Amino acid sequence: MEPQFQSFLVCCTAVITNEVSKGLTQKQISLTYAMAIVSEHAGVDRPDWPRINGSIADRWGLKGLERVKKLAWKRLGERKVK
């Protein structure tokens, strides 16, 4: 049996806001957003969602924010978030 492990993201707020300011795509940021959701639910980090969402909305508007969230949750799929 192979050992199982999980990866988590720390400093989620800084990472995502930095990605937005560096010009990453919505698709790329959605991956980090998904990791932030998992990390928060695992109790590893406490993302500042208003700041993160504000950063994304400032760059792409509310439709862009909705798109990033939708892509993030799609990536999580049926995954059970602990």
Side-chain angles (χ1 to χ4, degrees), residues 6 9 31-32 36-37 54-55 73:
Q6 269 190 301
L9 182 67
L31 292 170
T32 311
I37 292 168
S55 175
W73 281 105

Side-chain angles (χ1 to χ4, degrees), residues 1-52:
M1 181 177 198
E2 300 236 359
Q4 293 192 1
F5 65 94
Q6 269 190 301
S7 296
F8 298 105
L9 182 67
V10 295
C11 302
C12 299
T13 303
V15 172
I16 295 173
T17 56
N18 186 46
E19 287 181 347
V20 171
S21 71
K22 296 286 185 188
L24 272 68
T25 66
Q26 291 177 10
K27 186 175 179 180
Q28 291 168 319
I29 291 170
S30 72
L31 292 170
T32 311
Y33 201 100
M35 289 181 68
I37 292 168
V38 171
S39 296
E40 178 181 43
H41 285 269
V44 174
D45 195 35
R46 295 186 66 186
D48 182 347
W49 293 113
R51 185 169 165 210
I52 290 169

